[in-house]
Amino acid sequence: MQHGAIPHAINDEALDTIFRAARTQNKWSDKPVSAAMLMAVYDLMRWGPTAANITPARFVFVTTPEAKARLKPLLAEGNREKTMLAPAVAIIGYDLDFPHILPRLFPNVPTMKDNFIGNAELIQNSAFRNGTLQGAYFIIAARALGLDCGPMSGFDNAGMDKEFFAGTAIKSNFICALGHGDPACVYPRNPRLSFDEACKIL
Ligand SMILES: Cc1cc2nc3c(=O)[nH]c(=O)nc-3n(C[C@H](O)[C@H](O)[C@H](O)COP(=O)(O)O)c2cc1C
């Protein structure tokens, strides 16, 4: 189906920026990413929906040489060099302690937290599902504001949790390098499944 043939809510240039022309990056220019930009990405992505507004995603932005030195040994060998060269790296985690702030985040149903407390499997599934969704919103928000992204899951999760989330109930999900990529260093674009392969309309 020709997507461009139907009317859409944002223009084609915006759709290219967040999806069609956006590529996963492997090399970065020296152009820095400011704290103000990182805050702007969070400020935009936080409006993406989550179940019962649980918003479990938590972010640590690694930007300094000292913080990168803590990250480096935790990365899979093939991810190490490119991640160290990125101006900023977001560690995207999910907080298993989210039920305790639910009365503030979902005041329309003040008892919502009681559905979760004591149910470790529901907490884990909900935090991982919705935290991953928020990670995706994060990538799209970063692209919409003009950044390039390099998401990666090749790292030592337990080590990451110990190094960056000690003393909390936050678990690492994936990391996302941020900056301005070198278009010459992306891998060839791989195909995606067609509508008929991936979807059914019943
Ligand atoms: C959650 C996630 C984890 C990924 N992990 C890695 C990784 O550990 N190392 C790596 O080089 N690329 C990793 N990638 C990059 C993917 O291979 C890449 O985004 C995908 O092939 C699409 O590429 P494109 O955006 O250029 O089309 C990861 C991507 C995502 C979304």
Side-chain angles (χ1 to χ4, degrees), residues 22-26 76 78-79 82 139 143 150-155 173-175 186-190 192:
R23 298 298 315 282
T24 296
Q25 301 296 325
N26 298 298
N79 289 336
K82 61 181 173 182
I139 292 171
R143 288 173 168 179
M152 284 165 278
S153 53
F155 61 85
N173 189 345
F174 67 98
I175 63 173
V186 298
Y187 298 131
R189 182 70 135 173
N190 284 325
R192 305 298 201 251

Side-chain angles (χ1 to χ4, degrees), residues 49-84:
T50 55
N53 202 31
I54 64 173
T55 57
R58 304 290 181 265
F59 302 83
V60 171
F61 294 105
V62 173
T63 61
T64 62
E66 295 74 26
K68 283 185 181 177
R70 292 170 58 195
L71 182 61
K72 190 174 179 182
L74 303 167
L75 301 170
E77 179 63 40
N79 289 336
R80 210 164 272 156
E81 194 191 332
K82 61 181 173 182
T83 306
M84 288 301 103

